């Protein structure tokens, strides 16, 4: 059932990846990260439309790069903002009112499995207002003070690392973005964090190692291994 719109924040510079093009336009196995990500999103039977928040100067490039995968009117490209939150807000602003399910997916999570997209959308369709994919935290986690001394060990059993796509009832995400003050910009690192502030319960589904976020140069190598089946 193609009943969801996916917002794809893709306007980041990719500073941790080092000098070069904006991260979403960097190449992985010969194709930009954004193309990998959107191809996977569109392969989901849940996805009806895609809204990309692009680097402001790259709108035409993005339309051109995505042409083999998706084109207007199913694709909309809007200029992104200074923060991820601003980019998502810009994309959310063009979602038609009659859409019930909105997913938000980082272009940097280029290898997201189609099944994960379906799982998140299905959980929203089943009645959850907000749904996030998570993985258990495998490392031991400690609190460290400003001087580098350990002040405690955190029980990791209830901890989860959070991925995208995150899925929302459209009106819930609208309200979350509407109610976030300018002063709070950037303090919440994912979309579900804004929804939590409304007192709305967020449901978790199993994430995937393939939905890893490409952040540092070594992540590109890991992603390439996942793509060619050498790892994962
Ligand atoms: N993003 C965005 N607009 C911004 C900042 C980030 O749309 N102003 C997007 C990125 O393109 C990415 C996702 O949000 O798909 C997650 O952000 P991150 O991994 O931090 O990417 P960058 O901000 O590009 O990387 P860095 O923080 O290293 O500069
Ligand atoms: Mg960033």
């Amino acid at each position: 059932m193609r009943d969801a719109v996916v917002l794809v924040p893709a306007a980041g510079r990719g500073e941790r990846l080092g000098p070069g093009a904006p991260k979403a336009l960097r190449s992985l196995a010969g194709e930009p990260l954004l193309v990998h990500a959107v191809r996977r999103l569109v392969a989901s039977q849940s996805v009806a439309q895609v809204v990309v928040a692009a680097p402001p100067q790259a709108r035409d490039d993005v339309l051109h790069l995505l042409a083999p995968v998706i084109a207007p009117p199913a694709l909309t490209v809007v200029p992104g903002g200074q923060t991820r939150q601003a980019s998502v807000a810009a994309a959310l602003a063009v979602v038609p009112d009659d859409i019930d399910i909105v997913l938000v997916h980082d272009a940097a999570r280029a290898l997201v499995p189609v099944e994960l997209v379906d799982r998140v959308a299905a959980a929203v369709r089943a009645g959850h207002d907000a749904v996030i994919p998570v993985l258990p935290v495998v490392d031991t986690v400690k609190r460290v003070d400003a001087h580098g001394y350990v002040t405690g060990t955190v029980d990791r059993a209830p901890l989860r690392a959070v991925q995208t796509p995150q899925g929302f009832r459209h009106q819930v995400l609208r309200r979350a973005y509407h109610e976030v003050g300018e002063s709070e910009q950037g303090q919440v690192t994912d979309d579900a964090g804004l929804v939590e502030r409304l007192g709305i319960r967020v449901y978790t589904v199993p994430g995937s190692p393939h939905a890893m976020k490409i952040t540092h140069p070594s992540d590109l190598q890991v992603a390439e291994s996942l793509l060619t089946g050498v790892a994962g």
Side-chain angles (χ1 to χ4, degrees), residues 8-17 22-24 53-54 80-88 105-109 213-215:
V8 185
R13 287 200 289 269
E15 278 167 8
R16 286 169 289 182
L17 214 48
K23 179 158 71 180
Q82 288 299 316
T83 62
R84 183 186 181 281
Q85 208 168 295
S87 294
V88 174
H105 181 68
D106 291 330
R109 298 182 189 272
K213 186 155 73 76
I214 295 169
T215 304

